[in-house]
Amino acid sequence: MHASASPSPVRSHDVSADAVSRAGRYRWRVVDIVVASVIAVACAAVFLLWNVGYEGPSAILKPLLPGLQGLLAGPWLIAGVLGGLIIRKPGAAIYTETVAAVISALVGNQWGGPLTIVSGLVQGLGAEIVFLVFLYGVWRLPVAMLAGAGAGLACGINDRILWYPGADTLFTTVYISATTVSGAVIAGLGGWLIARALARTGALSRFAAGREAGVRV
């Protein structure tokens, strides 16, 4: 008769240490808040420029196909994706996108302050949900593009409700599809490329994104 070796018991302090480690990974530091705020301010400047700059391309796209102007939504979606990729903490995408929208609303734009803030919150939530699905642990290009697409999808649905309540099926389908594609390419791919470029400069040395870049080099 052979005695079977029983598995080693899991020590309580190991479990506690693991729980503390996970909690620390998700806890916001002062530097996280500062850098997320800087990202939001920088993206707000992009928003303000694009509030004016999109008018020309929009005038070209609208006659081609109703709703095709949704392809121009990407620059307004990049704050959430970029914030999520750099900060890598729960709430980062919502925080950066919403703060950028608040700044845009305070400076003034053609869409009205409160609705601009609502749009920022919804768009940030769209990106945040994707990062949450991957448990804030995967930061590769496909996830970045999915987050951008999530922000774009949320943007399209929100715009359809707030700005185009009487739109027909064709416009709705084209517009939401266009904002989703724009989010994936401009906010997703663009945000990922910007995050990598910043990491290579050493500016993100206090973040996992910056340390990963150093290891790859």
Side-chain angles (χ1 to χ4, degrees):
M1 180 177 181
H2 300 284
S4 58
S6 59
S8 301
V10 178
R11 290 174 293 184
S12 61
H13 69 268
D14 289 340
V15 176
S16 300
D18 186 56
V20 169
S21 176
R22 284 199 303 270
R25 194 176 98 190
Y26 294 143
R27 186 181 298 118
W28 281 62
R29 304 165 297 169
V30 173
V31 68
D32 295 326
I33 299 172
V34 171
V35 172
S37 300
V38 170
I39 293 169
V41 171
C43 290
V46 174
F47 291 2
L48 294 172
L49 292 173
W50 193 235
N51 289 346
V52 178
Y54 98 104
E55 294 285 359
S58 178
I60 296 173
L61 292 176
K62 284 180 181 179
L64 297 179
L65 184 65
L68 198 59
Q69 67 268 30
L71 289 173
L72 304 175
W76 289 307
L77 309 173
I78 199 167
V81 177
L82 188 58
L85 290 174
I86 292 175
I87 306 302
R88 300 188 176 185
K89 301 286 177 66
I94 293 177
Y95 178 84
T96 49
E97 189 73 37
T98 303
V99 171
V102 168
I103 295 171
S104 177
L106 291 175
V107 174
N109 58 53
Q110 58 269 52
W111 296 286
L115 293 182
T116 297
I117 297 171
V118 170
S119 294
L121 180 61
V122 170
Q123 291 158 191
L125 179 62
E128 189 76 42
I129 288 173
V130 173
F131 293 132
L132 172 62
V133 167
F134 289 91
L135 301 178
Y136 302 100
V138 182
W139 307 101
R140 298 187 181 94
L141 176 58
V143 174
M145 294 187 70
L146 282 174
L153 177 62
C155 170
I157 294 172
N158 182 68
D159 286 358
R160 168 62 175 78
I161 294 171
L162 293 181
W163 302 107
Y164 307 107
D168 59 20
T169 303
L170 175 62
F171 177 93
T172 300
T173 302
V174 173
Y175 187 80
I176 294 177
S177 298
T179 58
T180 302
V181 170
S182 183
V185 175
I186 299 177
L189 174 59
W192 186 78
L193 290 173
I194 292 171
R196 281 173 60 90
L198 288 172
R200 289 192 183 114
T201 67
L204 304 179
S205 59
R206 298 187 66 181
F207 296 86
R211 292 192 292 272
E212 285 178 4
V215 170
R216 283 194 294 267
V217 171

